[in-house]
Every structure is written in structure tokens, then in C-alpha cells.
Amino acid sequence: MGLLEDRHGRIAHDLRLSLIDKCNLRCTYCMPAEGLDWLKKNEMLTADEAVRIADIGVRLLGIREVRFTGGEPLVRRDLEHIIGSLHQAHPNLPMSITTNGIGLEKRIDDLVAAGLQRINVSLDTICPETFAKMTRRQRLPQVLRGLEGAKEAGLHLVKINAVLMNGINDDQAAELLEWCLDQGFQLRFIEQMPLDADHGWTRDGMVTAERMRELLSEKFTLAPHTEPRGSAPAQLWDVFPGASDPSSHPLGQVGIIASVTEPFCQSCSRTRITADGKIRSCLFSHEETDLLTAIRSDASDEEIAEIWQAAMWVKPKAHGQDTVGLDTPEFVQPDRSMSAIGG
Ligand code: SAM
Ligand code: SF4
């Protein structure tokens, strides 16, 4: 039928589908200590609705890849069913999840059997005290067990997402990289974005990509990875031990996602659907388009696709707006926090 194009010449072929707003952690950069006003069950996409949306995206709108997220997608007991149904309809569609890993070890085999191919696990530290401070929960052992399970399930490349916070875990960046290289995981550091429910983010308080590279160079030498980045959010760096010669064989790669200081909006290929069925053309959008009402009326697949296309056509140029960026004082944080949008 067409593609999800926008006025600025970008095409979205990568769907981030949020399945739930709830979570079993309370990361300070994402959620408030007491949680949020959760969506009611009847406000959330059912498994069939989530599968129908993804199917329309793939069949009619050129979606090539689906990532399930949240909140915490593993909190949904029907995640295996959702992945399995979509896999049945589109056996070659790459599907992945972004998860905090809690409970993963018990479900990973069923998820892989259902058709899951890739997984990103969020882990900001391997120090139990820092983990408890950052997530407001003592659950590091569960996350590590989940990661072990993912490794044993033989998934191709497990990626770790880590947010660095000044004075909290920034001094552990090199240690976390060392651990990930050792375990065979690909670590990606993410700049903290103004999407926390507490609205505590400040430009001066965040750890920039430049600072991340400095912190890592205390223990490693980094050299830009040569493969083209395409629309990937992470800039990849080859990692060499100590102050070694970067012409030797790298220990592995590390990714840096510099959404604030080195934005990549120009090559953005993402479209987002929230757990309550709203289209968000950008993480930082102030506008959303309701798809759930159409899904629950007798709208045809083509009509739903048209609503989606129209919502994406007006995707803002950068950071939710056409004129200002995250790095400017005029930037206004969206009402929804990261967990309620789907990261
Ligand atoms: N609960 C799952 C998890 O943590 O992986 C999936 C949802 S979470 C919102 C998705 C990703 O967003 C995580 O990697 C998390 O670290 C990241 N994230 C959350 N809030 C953020 C913020 N304010 N800035 C940057 N990344 C953030
Ligand atoms: Fe939950 Fe993920 Fe947000 Fe942490 S980042 S509170 S694990 S949704």
C-alpha cells in the first residue's frame, strides 16, 4: 500500500511496539519511586490487537523489523503468544525485545521457540549497591540469571543497554565494559534523555558521549568501527586493551547512543506504538494519534494503515519539534515518561 514516509524524506521501517506500561523496577531516570497511574486492562492492546497492528505494518507499510518493549514486556504473560502469532504470519520478520531481564531465564526457551531472535537487556551496573540505588530494587541477581539464560539459549548477540549517571555509576563504565566483553555481550551506553517521570534531567547533570569515551579510555583504547552505521542509533567503537595500538585485533565493540549531544534524527527509521495503541512518530513528540479506537471499530486494515501513514507524515524534524533540539533551553519534555512511551 505504501511506506511510512515523512515530510523530511525519512522512511520508518522499524516498529517499536510497547506492550505494557508497568514495570517491576523503578529506574530513577525513567520512573517515579511510587510508579505511575497504570493503564487499565481494557485500555491496553490485547495480544490480538498488538499482532494485528504489527501485521498491518509489515504487510501494508514496509515494516521490516519489530521490537517489543514497555514498561517491562516480560510482565506480560502472553508475550510468547504475541511473538509466536506474529512469527507464524511472517516467519522471516526479525523480532526482538528490550527487557530488564527479570524472569528471563524461565521464559527464554519458549520465547526463542516462538520466534524471538534478538534481545537487549538493560543493565547499568554489576555492583549490587549501585543497582539498588539506580533501580530502587535489590534485583541484580535476577537480572544476571536472566542474562545467563539468554546466553545459554544461544541467541546470536545479546546487547546490554546502560545509562550512565553522574556520580552514581559513571565511575563503573570501564568495569562494566570489561565484564560485558568477558561475557560476550555487546554493551551500548545511552546518554540519559529528558524522559524521566520525575523531570529531574538536566543538561549539565548528564554524562555526555564525549565524557563516556574519556571514561572508557582510562582502561581501553577506542577506534571508530569501520562498518557503516546506517540508521542504527549506536555509534560503534572497536575496543582495544589499555593504550595498545589500534591496528591489533579488537577485544570487541562498544556502542554509544548519543541522542542528546550527537543526535541522529536525520536518519531515524523508527515508528512507535504505545501500549494503549497510540502512534508516536518520535520519542519526544507532544502529539499522538489514536489507533486503538480505529482497531476497536470495524476499520479495515487499509483504513488503519492510512491513519498510521498520516501520523508519520508529520513526524517532527528532530527531538519532537521542527525548530529546537534537546540541547536547547526551549526544549519541552513530553508528558509521558520513557516507560509509558516504550523505549
Ligand atoms: N523495561 C525494559 C528495559 O529497561 O529494558 C524496556 C523498557 S525501557 C523504557 C527501554 C530502554 O530505555 C532501557 O534500556 C532504558 O535504560 C532506557 N531508558 C529509560 N529511560 C531513559 C532515559 N531517561 N534516558 C535514556 N534511556 C532511558
Ligand atoms: Fe522499568 Fe525499563 Fe524503565 Fe527501568 S528503564 S523502570 S526497567 S521500564
Side-chain angles (χ1 to χ4, degrees), residues 47-343:
D48 288 350
E49 287 164 349
V51 174
R52 183 174 175 211
I53 290 177
D55 172 64
I56 292 171
V58 175
R59 267 190 308 110
L60 302 181
L61 296 169
I63 290 295
R64 292 191 225 140
E65 188 178 336
V66 178
R67 171 173 295 276
F68 296 102
T69 182
E72 176 46 49
L74 288 176
V75 172
R76 268 193 81 145
R77 304 313 307 174
D78 53 5
L79 181 62
E80 291 80 347
H81 172 68
I82 294 171
I83 290 177
S85 308
L86 193 58
H87 183 63
Q88 235 172 3
H90 302 284
N92 297 321
L93 176 72
M95 280 184 292
S96 55
I97 59 172
T98 299
T99 171
N100 62 29
I102 294 175
L104 186 61
E105 78 277 17
K106 295 192 207 91
R107 296 176 64 185
I108 188 70
D109 289 340
D110 288 344
L111 287 166
V112 171
L116 182 76
Q117 287 134 334
R118 281 183 278 155
I119 188 160
N120 287 10
V121 178
S122 301
L123 177 68
D124 305 318
T125 171
I126 48 167
C127 162
E129 290 77 37
T130 313
F131 184 92
K133 205 189 273 184
M134 291 185 78
T135 65
R136 303 179 175 112
R137 297 288 185 273
Q138 310 258 16
R139 296 216 168 142
L140 180 62
Q142 284 97 316
V143 177
L144 297 180
R145 279 207 299 276
L147 272 168
E148 199 52 41
K151 206 156 58 164
E152 281 166 15
L155 286 178
H156 167 55
L157 180 63
V158 176
K159 293 185 184 168
I160 305 282
N161 290 351
V163 175
L164 284 185
M165 295 182 81
N166 253 326
I168 312 269
N169 67 336
D170 54 343
D171 59 337
Q172 299 170 26
E175 174 189 283
L176 185 62
L177 176 55
E178 195 164 40
W179 184 82
C180 287
L181 290 168
D182 215 46
Q183 298 283 325
F185 302 137
Q186 188 186 87
L187 177 62
R188 294 131 34 101
F189 288 108
I190 310 176
E191 279 186 345
Q192 190 191 348
M193 295 180 268
L195 288 170
D196 56 315
D198 291 333
H199 288 234
W201 180 92
T202 61
R203 173 67 178 79
D204 294 340
M206 62 166 284
V207 181
T208 63
E210 191 184 0
R211 178 72 187 131
M212 288 175 191
R213 293 187 289 263
E214 261 170 39
L215 288 165
L216 296 177
S217 63
E218 285 165 15
K219 234 177 176 159
F220 301 101
T221 296
L222 302 183
H225 188 60
T226 45
E227 265 170 53
R229 176 171 168 183
S231 58
Q235 162 87 59
L236 280 187
W237 297 80
D238 288 330
V239 182
F240 302 89
S244 60
D245 171 10
S247 62
S248 60
H249 193 67
L251 299 169
Q253 280 84 40
V254 64
I256 296 187
I257 303 181
S259 319
V260 180
T261 63
E262 296 160 18
F264 38 85
C265 303
Q266 234 173 300
S267 58
C268 178
S269 61
R270 279 163 284 287
T271 180
R272 291 185 148 79
I273 307 281
T274 63
D276 54 345
K278 306 279 190 296
I279 304 162
R280 288 183 73 91
S281 58
C282 171
L283 254 183
F284 298 98
S285 290
H286 290 276
E287 267 124 54
E288 299 179 338
T289 305
D290 179 23
L291 206 56
L292 190 63
T293 307
I295 294 266
R296 290 187 181 173
S297 66
D298 51 8
S300 66
D301 288 357
E302 286 70 20
E303 284 164 338
I304 287 165
E306 272 171 29
I307 297 172
W308 201 343
Q309 277 182 312
M312 290 305 294
W313 180 251
V314 291
K315 178 176 170 113
K317 192 167 170 194
H319 292 153
Q321 297 166 63
D322 280 331
T323 48
V324 299
L326 283 189
D327 226 359
T328 58
E330 297 83 18
F331 173 78
V332 181
Q333 182 168 341
D335 292 335
R336 288 202 201 223
S337 61
M338 189 66 135
S339 62
I341 296 172

